[in-house]
Amino acid sequence: MPAGREITIVEVGPRDGLQNENGVISTHDKVELIRLLAGAGLARIEATAFVSPRWVPQMADHDAVMRQAVRRDGLRLSALVPNEKGALAAIATGAQELAVFASASETFAMKNTNCTIAESIERFVPVLALAKANGLPVRGYVSCAVDCPYEGVIAPAAVAWVSEQLARIGCTEIAVADTIGRAAPERVDAMLRAVLDIMPVERLACHFHDTSSMALANVDVALNHGIRVFDSAAGGLGGCPYAPGAAGNLATGRLARHLSSLDYQHRIDLCLLDHAEQFARKLSAHTKRSPKFV
């Protein structure tokens, strides 16, 4: 278990935070948000998703966003890709990391990606091959790692199996996600124990939504397991399509300040982050959230 106090925060606001917004957010504003977040010290930013505009209209400008996004030493820009076609497009625009999206719930997988869990993982094999050929890391998300909006409670063993399969095909990092924000700390603990039985802690990240105001308590559980990589979204953008009006992703500022209070280091300038979060909230202020998401 790592003894270090250094935490990596993966900023997912430009992708996971904005993708459910129906109102038009300009490419310029998305690029500006990325610039502000990078300026605040975020070293890993999920910039966009190379998915079909038919299903996620807000990500239709993925090519322009990735090409125009700020580049600097120490900053890694990633893109979510659903398949080989998306991976090719992302690599062509200079994505520095790819992310793929699986689920621990068969029902969620079918409704969200129109295939079984096993089929979704096999769909990622050519993505991993492309990433390897281009020297890019690949993050594998496991959604519904605690609860599913259709199936309810998800068995920890199911999360461990999906995580193992993603690692098997070459994902360098596995991010287990409390997709609908219902997770209680004791159930997060059970899930993480199952996953850590088959995977080293250095390869694991956690992605918590704050729908039930339990995200920081769940972060504490993960910290106690030695996890040092956490996702968050500027301004808490993202919401939950299954809980209208509920809080969204764990806000980056809340996470950073909580970690500081526990004497963990994250290398983020909180004043500059406040400015970035204010900008993010303004982008979302006059839009409505869509029930479609990846």
Side-chain angles (χ1 to χ4, degrees), residues 106-122:
E106 288 287 3
T107 306
F108 191 90
M110 288 300 300
K111 288 183 176 291
N112 204 46
T113 59
N114 199 33
C115 64
T116 67
I117 295 171
E119 288 169 344
S120 72
I121 291 170
E122 289 309 306

Side-chain angles (χ1 to χ4, degrees), residues 160-171:
W161 183 85
V162 177
S163 299
E164 186 174 32
Q165 299 312 302
L166 289 170
R168 173 183 62 80
I169 64 172
C171 289

